[in-house]
Amino acid sequence: MRFWRRHRHEDPLVCREFVELVTDYLDGALPDTERRRFEAHLAECDGCTAYLQDMRRLIGTLHETPEPPPDAATREALLRAFRDLR
Ligand SMILES: [Zn+2]
């Protein structure tokens, strides 16, 4: 019983947990133990490695463009495009 519990405690992170922790990880908000489990999973899971890269890119994009500026020329181009569709 004790062995089982210890085994469970040391279970590697699963992908679902990874997704839940990824924003905290990128914020540097994960405690050391969690971060180690997180990075151990990262080393073994291609899916989560790709997911982390996507999240990094997404967050980088958000930081670069905090607000989509209202752009009259873009709006005009969109209106023209819609008109062409009809
Ligand atoms: Zn994973």
Side-chain angles (χ1 to χ4, degrees):
M1 207 43 149
R2 198 166 57 216
F3 175 80
W4 169 248
R5 198 182 298 142
R6 192 170 63 212
H7 179 75
R8 292 279 303 157
H9 182 68
E10 291 173 0
D11 265 357
L13 206 79
V14 295
C15 294
R16 194 175 51 79
E17 287 183 90
F18 188 96
V19 170
E20 285 169 4
L21 294 175
V22 72
T23 49
D24 281 350
Y25 176 75
L26 290 172
D27 284 346
L30 278 187
D32 277 359
T33 48
E34 289 294 293
R35 189 169 50 81
R36 265 196 295 275
R37 290 173 75 222
F38 188 94
E39 286 171 348
H41 181 83
L42 199 57
E44 290 172 359
C45 183
D46 288 346
C48 287
T49 303
Y51 183 77
L52 179 64
Q53 278 168 359
D54 281 352
M55 286 302 288
R56 274 214 172 102
R57 202 172 312 138
L58 185 67
I59 287 169
T61 307
L62 291 178
H63 285 179
E64 280 163 24
T65 52
E67 294 285 327
D71 186 334
T74 304
R75 203 162 53 232
E76 183 59 31
L78 280 174
L79 287 174
R80 254 200 313 275
F82 280 127
R83 241 186 346 251
D84 290 347
L85 281 177
R86 274 192 302 230

